[in-house]
């Protein structure tokens, strides 16, 4: 009984140990299950997150593919536009080159035409100038010839004038000499009368001064001055003789009425007329 009790105790103890181990295992299993559940929940959460990220990435990929398609479309459109623009530029450049070539040809043709026109104008102008120079030279030669002819005629005229001038000068000198000789005998009677009356009314030195004036007017010689008691000199009145003496009488013959074709003939007729009048006056006085 004892052994049996011991066996029962042993079994109980083993049973307790088994239960304890089962409990621990259960706890461990529960812990593992709980942990597995948490891991599962976490895995599910991560799976959902991954699915969401995958969906997001798929959406981004779809958007990127759409953007790529749009970019390809834009690139193709830009390439097409670039090709069209390049074609238009090439066409414009070709047209511009053609226009430049045409303008160059037109300019060359215009320059050739202008050059030809200028050469023709210069040639015509040269011919006109040459003709004008010939005309001017002919006119100048003609004018020189006329001038030389006129100079010859003037030279002859000058020689004749010189001869007439010499003859006129000789005649004038003779006439002046004759006139000076005749002037020595011309005396102003009124002056002599006034001087004599003045001399008669003076006395002393004043009377002698009047006699000196009379001697100067009548051109007394030294002997005549001594006889008149005025031989010592003219005195102060000698300074005023020229102022007191009356001038020569004016010509009584009108110059415009003098006969004669030349100046010489008119001068001779004038002197003859004056001399004739003086002679007639002197005859009348005698």
């Amino acid at each position: 009984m004892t052994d049996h009790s011991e066996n029962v105790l042993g079994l109980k103890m083993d049973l307790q140990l088994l239960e304890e181990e089962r409990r621990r295992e259960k706890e461990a299993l529960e812990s593992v299950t709980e942990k597995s559940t948490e891991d599962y929940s976490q895995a599910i959460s991560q799976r959902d997150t991954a699915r969401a990220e995958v969906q997001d990435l798929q959406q981004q990929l779809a958007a990127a593919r759409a953007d790529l398609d749009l970019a390809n479309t834009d690139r193709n459109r830009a390439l097409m536009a670039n090709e069209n623009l390049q074609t238009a530029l090439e066409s414009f450049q070709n047209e511009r080159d053609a226009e430049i070539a045409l303008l160059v040809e037109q300019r060359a043709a215009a320059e050739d035409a202008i050059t030809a026109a200028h050469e023709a104008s210069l040639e015509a102008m040269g011919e006109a100038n040459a003709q004008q120079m010939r005309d001017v030279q002919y006119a100048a030669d003609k004018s020189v010839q006329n001038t030389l002819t006129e100079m010859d005629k003037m030279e002859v005229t000058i020689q004749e004038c010189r001869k007439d001038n010499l003859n006129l000068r000789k005649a004038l000198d003779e006439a002046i000499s004759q006139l000076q000789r005749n002037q020595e005998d011309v005396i102003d009677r009124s002056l002599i009368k006034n001087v004599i009356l003045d001399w008669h009314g003076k006395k002393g030195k004043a009377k002698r001064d009047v006699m000196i004036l009379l001697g100067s007017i009548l051109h007394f010689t030294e002997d005549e001055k001594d006889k008149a008691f005025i031989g010592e000199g003219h005195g102060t009145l000698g300074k005023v003789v020229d102022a007191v003496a009356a001038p020569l009488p004016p010509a009584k013959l009108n110059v415009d009425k003098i006969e004669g074709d030349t100046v010489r003939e008119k001068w001779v007729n004038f002197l003859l007329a004056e001399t004739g009048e003086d002679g007639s006056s002197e005859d009348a006085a005698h």
Side-chain angles (χ1 to χ4, degrees):
M1 284 290 288
T2 304
D3 293 334
H4 181 66
S5 296
E6 290 178 0
N7 288 331
V8 171
L9 288 172
L11 288 172
K12 287 182 179 179
M13 289 180 67
D14 291 335
L15 183 58
Q16 289 178 356
L17 291 171
L18 289 171
E19 287 179 357
E20 184 68 25
E21 183 177 1
R22 187 178 67 80
R23 186 181 61 78
R24 286 196 299 269
E25 289 177 357
K26 184 179 179 181
E27 289 177 358
L29 182 60
E30 289 176 358
S31 177
V32 170
T33 300
E34 186 178 358
K35 186 176 181 182
S36 296
T37 301
E38 291 177 359
D39 292 338
Y40 178 74
S41 298
Q42 187 177 1
I44 290 173
S45 178
Q46 290 177 356
R47 185 196 64 183
D48 295 336
T49 303
R51 285 180 178 177
E53 291 177 358
V54 168
Q55 290 179 356
D56 190 12
L57 290 174
Q58 288 177 352
Q59 291 177 357
Q60 291 179 1
L61 179 59
R65 287 178 178 176
D67 293 337
L68 180 60
D69 294 335
L70 183 61
N72 289 328
T73 302
D74 293 337
R75 182 180 65 83
N76 293 329
R77 188 181 294 110
L79 291 175
M80 183 63 67
N82 190 14
E83 291 178 358
N84 294 332
L85 181 61
Q86 186 68 28
T87 303
L89 289 175
E90 290 177 357
S91 177
F92 178 75
Q93 185 67 31
N94 294 328
E95 292 178 358
R96 186 171 178 274
D97 293 338
E99 291 177 356
I100 291 173
L102 180 60
L103 290 175
V104 169
E105 292 178 357
Q106 292 178 355
R107 180 179 178 183
E111 288 179 353
D112 294 337
I114 291 172
T115 302
H118 285 175
E119 290 178 355
S121 177
L122 289 175
E123 185 177 358
M125 188 179 295
E127 293 178 356
N129 290 334
Q131 184 63 35
Q132 289 181 359
M133 289 297 295
R134 288 193 293 269
D135 295 340
V136 171
Q137 187 67 33
Y138 176 76
D141 295 339
K142 191 68 176 178
S143 177
V144 170
Q145 291 178 357
N146 295 332
T147 303
L148 292 175
T149 304
E150 292 294 332
M151 288 180 65
D152 294 336
K153 293 180 180 179
M154 289 179 65
E155 186 68 25
V156 174
T157 304
I158 289 171
Q159 294 296 332
E160 294 177 357
C161 290
R162 286 178 179 175
K163 292 180 181 179
D164 293 340
N165 189 17
L166 291 175
N167 295 329
L168 183 61
R169 183 178 293 278
K170 290 179 181 179
L172 183 60
D173 292 338
E174 293 176 358
I176 291 173
S177 178
Q178 184 179 359
L179 180 61
Q180 289 178 351
R181 287 194 301 269
N182 293 333
Q183 281 181 349
E184 293 178 355
D185 298 332
V186 177
I187 298 174
D188 191 355
R189 295 177 181 179
S190 61
L191 175 63
I192 297 301
K193 180 179 66 176
N194 292 329
V195 171
I196 292 173
L197 292 175
D198 192 16
W199 174 82
H200 188 270
K202 299 290 183 180
K203 292 181 179 180
K205 187 176 183 297
K207 191 171 184 178
R208 183 175 180 277
D209 292 334
V210 175
M211 183 58 68
I212 291 172
L213 176 61
L214 182 61
S216 177
I217 294 173
L218 298 177
H219 300 287
F220 281 7
T221 63
E222 294 296 330
D223 293 337
E224 291 173 348
K225 289 180 181 180
D226 292 337
K227 291 179 182 180
F229 302 103
I230 57 174
E232 295 179 355
H234 292 190
T236 57
L237 293 178
K239 299 180 180 179
V240 294
V241 172
D242 295 333
V244 176
L248 292 174
K252 297 180 181 180
L253 183 63
N254 191 357
V255 179
D256 296 332
K257 296 180 179 180
I258 298 175
E259 298 178 354
D261 297 330
T262 63
V263 176
R264 179 180 178 182
E265 292 177 358
K266 289 184 178 181
W267 177 251
V268 172
N269 292 331
F270 172 76
L271 293 177
L272 292 175
E274 289 291 319
T275 304
E277 288 183 359
D278 290 340
S280 62
S281 298
E282 289 178 0
D283 293 337
H286 289 296

